[in-house]
Amino acid sequence: MALTSSLSLVGLLVLADLDYVAWRTALTGTSSWLDSLVLCPGLHRQHDAQHLAHGEFPACAAMTTGYVFRVENPATVGYLQRVSRTGYLTNLTVHDLRNGHASTLAATRAATTLLQLTAASTIAGISILIYVLDVYALAYLATLILIRLINTAIIRSQIDIDWHGAFEPGVKGDLFILLSYDRWVRIKGDVDDLKAITSGRWLREATSLEDALMAVTTLLAWGSPMLAAVAT
């Protein structure tokens, strides 16, 4: 009886305050429809992708031209906050993944394969539940998939690649970025690649309708464990 009661609370795991889904969305700048089959803790926080930088817009100086501006891409700022350290200069290099090192390409392929396997496991789980006719468990999974579908649709509608300036193929750049808490970052690479990650943003702000839909998905996420609790 105690084990059964404990297992009935497994549905609460989806409400864990984790931001991995939001980070993946922020760093990729989009969300694929396949993501709707990836059911993991924190899935209801996908819309936090735009706020991972905690409102910081660090000053940035181009070492080659002297141009000074602010980095307003939340994904880039959030990443720099994670890799930099107080009192240290962090050196980074940016390059196009299509022209990256073998290890980078291998990591990208591994992440894609893991995503596909996770989606396949969800489909397999649904098939098993259909076979055993566990209606409440199916309703629970359907709710989670619906949440992810709505959030994915919202994220895809928010894709907003702002102007990144004129193309400068082959030109090398060198940026110095000053973050809070005495953290400094130097980024080198092609100017076009540097513009892509530092100028503008990848996702626009949500509209009133999108805010309302995200509120609905959050409520669905918090209500879904009730279905898991009565599943067999």
Side-chain angles (χ1 to χ4, degrees):
M1 180 66 69
L3 178 60
T4 303
S5 301
S6 299
L7 290 177
S8 67
L9 299 177
V10 169
L12 293 175
L13 290 176
V14 75
L15 300 177
D17 194 25
L18 303 178
D19 56 8
Y20 297 115
V21 174
W23 269 109
R24 183 178 185 279
T25 301
L27 295 177
T28 59
T30 185
S31 182
S32 69
W33 293 112
L34 190 62
D35 290 342
S36 61
L37 293 175
V38 179
L39 310 179
C40 57
L43 57 82
H44 60 296
R45 293 192 54 195
Q46 186 171 9
H47 52 268
D48 288 345
Q50 302 182 50
H51 309 293
L52 296 175
H54 307 292
E56 182 174 6
F57 300 103
C60 176
M63 306 291 284
T64 53
T65 63
Y67 184 59
V68 178
F69 59 98
R70 289 190 178 277
V71 181
E72 298 182 357
N73 187 319
T76 300
V77 176
Y79 175 77
L80 295 179
Q81 289 173 338
R82 290 169 69 98
V83 301
S84 59
R85 295 175 57 192
T86 298
Y88 288 85
L89 173 64
T90 303
N91 291 286
L92 302 174
T93 301
V94 61
H95 55 76
D96 193 319
L97 280 177
R98 292 168 294 186
N99 303 320
H101 300 293
S103 58
T104 303
L105 295 176
T108 302
R109 287 193 293 267
T112 302
T113 301
L114 181 60
L115 175 66
Q116 294 170 343
L117 289 175
T118 304
S121 66
T122 299
I123 296 175
I126 292 175
S127 300
I128 294 173
L129 292 176
I130 292 176
Y131 178 76
V132 300
L133 295 178
D134 193 333
V135 178
Y136 289 106
L138 279 171
Y140 174 66
L141 289 184
T143 301
L144 298 184
I145 292 174
L146 177 62
I147 292 171
R148 295 236 56 187
L149 281 173
I150 295 175
N151 284 335
T152 296
I154 293 174
I155 291 296
R156 293 176 69 89
S157 70
Q158 289 178 334
I159 297 175
D160 182 21
I161 306 300
D162 285 343
W163 178 74
H164 294 312
F167 288 108
E168 301 180 58
V171 179
K172 297 296 181 180
D174 189 349
L175 302 180
F176 182 80
I177 302 174
L178 178 62
L179 292 161
S180 58
Y181 305 113
D182 295 322
R183 293 172 292 181
W184 311 291
V185 178
R186 189 174 183 179
I187 309 179
K188 298 180 180 180
D190 290 339
V191 169
D192 288 338
D193 294 337
L194 293 173
K195 287 179 180 179
I197 65 170
T198 58
S199 60
R201 59 187 179 182
W202 295 338
L203 299 173
R204 62 167 173 77
E205 293 295 329
T207 64
S208 298
L209 176 59
E210 290 167 345
D211 277 332
L213 288 174
M214 288 187 291
V216 170
T217 61
T218 301
L219 291 176
L220 286 174
W222 281 92
S224 61
M226 291 187 292
L227 292 172
V230 294
T232 57

